[in-house]
Amino acid sequence: MKKKLSISDIARSLNISVTTVSFILNGRAEEKRISEELVQRVQKYIAEVGYKPNSLARSLRTGKSNTIGLMVEDISNPFFANIARMIEDNAYKNGYKILYCSTDNDTEKTKDLIQMFQERHVDGYIIAPPDGVEEEINTLISSGSPVVLFDRNLPGVHTDYVGIDNYGSTYHAINYLIRKGYKNIAFITLYSLQSQMQERMQGYESALAEHQMNQHIKEIPYSNDPDDIIKHVSAFLSRKKEVDAVLFGTNYLAVSGLRAIYNLGLKIPSDLAVIAFDDHDVFELSNPSITAIKQPIQEISGEVINLLLKGLKSPSKLKKPESLILKTTLELRKSSK
Amino acid sequence: MKKKLSISDIARSLNISVTTVSFILNGRAEEKRISEELVQRVQKYIAEVGYKPNSLARSLRTGKSNTIGLMVEDISNPFFANIARMIEDNAYKNGYKILYCSTDNDTEKTKDLIQMFQERHVDGYIIAPPDGVEEEINTLISSGSPVVLFDRNLPGVHTDYVGIDNYGSTYHAINYLIRKGYKNIAFITLYSLQSQMQERMQGYESALAEHQMNQHIKEIPYSNDPDDIIKHVSAFLSRKKEVDAVLFGTNYLAVSGLRAIYNLGLKIPSDLAVIAFDDHDVFELSNPSITAIKQPIQEISGEVINLLLKGLKSPSKLKKPESLILKTTLELRKSSK
DNA sequence: ATGAAAGCGCTAACAC
DNA sequence: GTGTTAGCGCTTTCAT
């Protein structure tokens, strides 16, 4: 277990000053007009002894940690896991590491988490926020940290946002079902004030209203336990026999919803047509396969990290917030006739 | 944007020394016999002004970062995403944050990643390693960092490990297929030297050997692109018409494999029985549902974090490595007659 | 029971 | 071009 080397050890061994070493380390040799030969010598020595700067000390000194805080609803949800993966790749490529956490859509938990990240001096935040954390996020922003929101926006928070056209997505999906002749179209969604869920609901309502059709809405409280969801969906569908099509508000509602539907012995699409919001491997391989509103995950992650890196580069005050609303696609499969 | 407070600001405002504040902050007031009244006063003030110690400075001083490095094959794979979620919950509960990364089973990438984590002074490592990083991991261990390996073990590395009975799992699965009367059972697996894949292969081979049955093995190179896998599986199955059952070595091989099977127009289980290694939402909801070898994810994560926390507490030298081999269950579904 | 002060390893303003 | 040095904010030894 050899002793960790420090910059002064290097300087001493080479008989030069720490400043010189530091400048070379930070690629400022040219700028400081340090002789090419010295640079070579230092780099060779550093490689030889395997010296690595202590990033903690560096961070303490510079105030930058080269770390990004990623806060999602649940890292085990495939939508977020996929986004996390793409963001990771991009961040590492740019010299940033990722600290992650799952909020469970819990406002208090999220506040704690934000504080933890703050104490850790993460350089920037990527957040899919629950509602109720507007104030904390505004504090973050006004203290100069770049923040990119995604998946759901926060009213009253002035920062970069990447989302999708939720309203249009459900609006079109419902119109598709109407064209196919379904008469009683239900919307099974999360009991939530989050912007994306509200917009999805509005799209559903508008489409029905335009055709003077009845609403059948079921809002289910957020839960980590699939069985809770299954129970709610079962109860709803057993009660509402007239429902002949259902749009699920999120992918995991749909996954649990499918279980409920199979448990009830309902046949898709003859008894019930199904569309899910957010795609999932399950939907392609189910039999029948399930039509889904597909978010452009790659594009979302790309824009998110892109905006954050931009924010990291330029002082946030100079940059005015951008909002990107991306298009979804309705992936037609066999779950509707 | 108010100036960040430091411990000396607190001390100055309260007219006491930083030492005292530090002791109180670190819960050593009792031990240092600081008057109860002073402790109260300091804590009240700290809460009032919202002072938060700078964890960077603390880490620099103590050498502990309260961060755990989590390295998995691919965070977007549901198996790893689920483990990540459970590990996160436990770690945060114990005051640790998680830095994660995906190795893509790439030896060189993993070496880089290990180095990055080392530079970050993570306190401990949880790794599902590719092969070829034995040396790097041994260096980590001998430098005193606790390391817990999971999912696959590394020969020659002496550290905690949590895995499953891979050999027994495939052995039993194949025997089950044999009992059901299948004659030409294929094993579609990863082209890999990793311990868990080798063991799975051995279980397959032993079971067949005991019944003097022919092997049909297809090893597919690791790829992030599902289409690559689909192509390989399609080619293999079109060539090997006699195959009447197939065991997939990992869940994502099975997910892509199912696509290949459907593309070829094969019917499960009449044309082909299917078993997957690792469960997945897809398998339960597919029609027919797919039999799978299910890993006890909760138990795995629990043991992993448990071992790591143990290692974090006691100097690793004093602790002798533990290896935990957990049992899987064969989740019988409809993909075999 | 409390305080002074020496660093942890690094960066960068300033001096030469 | 290169060196000296003052911190970044904290912990902890040693002194009182």
Side-chain angles (χ1 to χ4, degrees), chain A residues 16-20 33-35 38 61:
Chain A
I16 56 177
S17 89
V18 291
T19 313
T20 311
R33 309 216 253 148
I34 294 172
S35 71
L38 217 204
R61 182 59 233 242

Side-chain angles (χ1 to χ4, degrees), chain A residues 128-146:
Chain A
D131 43 64
V133 296
E134 292 79 3
E135 200 180 316
E136 285 70 19
I137 294 190
N138 273 328
T139 309
L140 244 39
I141 295 167
S142 61
S143 79
S145 303

Side-chain angles (χ1 to χ4, degrees), chain A residues 102-336:
Chain A
S102 305
T103 67
D104 279 332
N105 265 344
D106 178 327
T107 306
E108 289 313 312
K109 183 178 176 191
T110 305
K111 288 182 186 172
D112 282 354
L113 258 8
I114 289 178
Q115 217 175 63
M116 285 182 169
F117 278 9
Q118 224 177 338
E119 287 169 33
R120 285 310 179 101
H121 294 245
V122 305
D123 294 336
Y125 299 78
I126 296 176
I127 311 183
D131 43 64
V133 296
E134 292 79 3
E135 200 180 316
E136 285 70 19
I137 294 190
N138 273 328
T139 309
L140 244 39
I141 295 167
S142 61
S143 79
S145 303
V147 177
V148 178
L149 263 27
F150 78 102
D151 194 51
R152 59 295 288 276
N153 210 343
L154 248 24
V157 173
H158 227 92
T159 192
D160 291 331
Y161 168 68
V162 179
I164 53 161
D165 175 15
N166 287 291
Y167 176 91
S169 300
T170 48
Y171 180 85
H172 285 124
I174 296 299
N175 269 312
Y176 161 79
L177 288 172
I178 293 174
R179 276 200 310 279
K180 289 290 182 172
Y182 293 98
K183 298 296 178 207
N184 286 286
I185 304 173
F187 183 46
I188 298 186
T189 183
L190 221 50
Y191 183 81
S192 163
L193 293 172
Q194 292 168 9
S195 66
Q196 88 285 18
M197 300 316 290
Q198 295 290 318
E199 292 160 15
R200 291 173 194 183
M201 173 99 76
Q202 281 159 20
Y204 165 80
E205 290 176 337
S206 299
L208 289 187
E210 286 174 12
H211 294 80
Q212 287 99 38
M213 289 170 66
N214 283 334
Q215 293 184 6
H216 305 273
I217 294 177
K218 173 67 187 174
E219 292 179 285
I220 297 180
Y222 184 86
S223 161
N224 257 327
D225 182 358
D227 288 337
D228 289 344
I229 299 173
I230 294 178
K231 269 180 230 153
H232 280 109
V233 176
S234 297
F236 176 75
L237 291 177
S238 334
R239 215 174 58 236
K240 295 271 209 171
K241 302 285 188 205
E242 71 274 27
V243 166
D244 56 3
V246 51
L247 169 62
F248 287 99
T250 77
N251 59 1
Y252 56 90
L253 285 176
V255 169
S256 293
L258 288 175
R259 290 202 182 135
I261 291 170
Y262 294 141
N263 288 348
L264 291 174
L266 296 173
K267 294 283 165 253
I268 300 173
S270 51
D271 297 331
L272 198 63
V274 171
I275 297 185
F277 205 114
D278 279 3
D279 207 358
H280 194 294
D281 277 333
V282 166
F283 304 147
E284 183 171 351
L285 288 166
S286 280
N287 196 342
S289 57
I290 307 294
T291 295
I293 296 169
K294 190 175 185 169
Q295 300 202 37
I297 293 188
Q298 186 139 14
E299 216 182 323
I300 293 173
S301 344
E303 297 293 0
V304 163
I305 189 80
N306 192 12
L307 282 171
L308 191 71
L309 289 172
K310 246 198 261 178
L312 251 11
K313 256 161 225 157
S314 63
S316 55
K317 307 295 170 193
L318 297 176
K319 231 183 113 284
K320 79 146 153 327
E322 296 181 49
S323 268
L324 297 175
I325 306 300
L326 307 176
K327 286 264 164 271
T328 58
T329 47
L330 186 61
E331 194 78 17
L332 293 178
R333 300 208 179 91
K334 304 278 165 61
S335 58
S336 50

